[in-house]
């Protein structure tokens, strides 16, 4: 990388597409003396994950659902929860969660809740967050209306009134 500014302390416009450790040689260009001597620096490029976690629905009497945060880098390297110690996962809010850490947590919120999971790499320099909604279905408002039974023909029907969105 060649800069026209001998006091430059950063390198802009350089992109590394693969995580790893790189040695970069820096030089600056002066009007009087040409290129300076090279100075080498080490650049460590971290894997930045793309988090994936699916929205879930819990029925009234369920004991909860397992939320599974899975990180995949932009370059396709997979870091599924629980198999790569390089990433830690933090969840919030804590309401209805079995734990606030780990790639896998059980959610059993009392009402529909949106959780945020954040994946952080082992040195704390890279973090990414994703939201997941756990919908708590409430069937306590189901009403049986106008039951009509025809005992003569062993036939009949029952009208059931469901709360939104179950119409």
């Amino acid at each position: 990388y060649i800069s026209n500014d001998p006091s430059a302390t950063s390198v802009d416009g350089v992109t590394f597409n693969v995580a790893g450790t790189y040695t970069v040689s820096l030089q600056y260009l002066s009007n009087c003396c040409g290129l300076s001597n090279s100075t080498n620096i080490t650049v460590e490029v971290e894997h930045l994950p793309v988090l994936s976690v699916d929205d879930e629905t819990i029925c009234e009497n369920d004991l909860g659902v397992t939320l599974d945060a899975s990180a995949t880098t932009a370059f396709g390297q997979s870091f599924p929860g629980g198999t790569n110690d390089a990433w830690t996962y933090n969840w919030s809010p804590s309401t209805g969660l079995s734990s606030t850490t780990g790639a896998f947590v059980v959610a059993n919120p009392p009402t529909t809740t949106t959780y945020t999971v954040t994946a952080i790499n082992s040195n704390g320099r890279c973090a990414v967050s994703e939201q997941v909604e756990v919908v708590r279905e409430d069937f306590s408002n189901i009403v049986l209306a106008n039951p009509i039974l025809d005992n003569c023909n062993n036939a009949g029907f029952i009208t059931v009134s469901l709360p939104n969105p179950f119409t």
Side-chain angles (χ1 to χ4, degrees):
Y1 179 79
I2 299 175
S3 170
N4 290 325
D5 181 1
S7 64
T9 58
S10 65
V11 177
D12 294 329
V14 177
T15 302
F16 296 92
N17 291 328
V18 177
T21 302
Y22 299 89
T23 300
V24 177
S25 179
L26 300 174
Q27 293 179 288
Y28 68 89
L29 180 62
S30 72
N31 289 333
C32 68
C33 303
L35 287 175
S36 68
N37 291 331
S38 294
T39 300
N40 291 333
I41 62 168
T42 301
V43 177
E44 186 175 328
V45 178
E46 301 289 338
H47 296 281
L48 183 61
V50 175
L51 275 183
S52 172
V53 61
D54 294 329
D55 290 344
E56 297 287 346
T57 299
I58 303 175
C59 291
E60 185 176 14
N61 294 318
D62 285 350
L63 299 177
V65 293
T66 299
L67 302 179
D68 173 8
S70 178
T72 304
T73 69
F75 308 110
Q77 294 169 306
S78 181
F79 297 104
T83 61
N84 184 335
D85 295 333
W87 295 94
T88 58
Y89 297 84
N90 297 313
W91 297 81
S92 65
S94 61
T95 305
L97 291 179
S98 61
S99 174
T100 57
T101 60
F104 304 99
V105 298
V106 175
N108 191 15
T111 61
T112 296
T113 303
T114 299
Y115 294 103
T116 300
V117 58
T118 301
I120 304 167
N121 74 338
S122 60
N123 61 25
R125 293 190 298 219
C126 291
V128 64
S129 295
E130 182 70 34
Q131 290 190 325
V132 57
E133 182 178 48
V134 176
V135 176
R136 168 63 78 171
E137 296 295 356
D138 180 6
F139 295 109
S140 62
N141 295 327
I142 295 177
V143 177
L144 293 178
N146 305 324
I148 300 172
L149 298 176
D150 180 353
N151 288 330
C152 295
N153 297 321
N154 287 332
F157 66 90
I158 297 176
T159 302
V160 178
S161 174
L162 300 173
N164 284 333
F166 306 101
T167 54

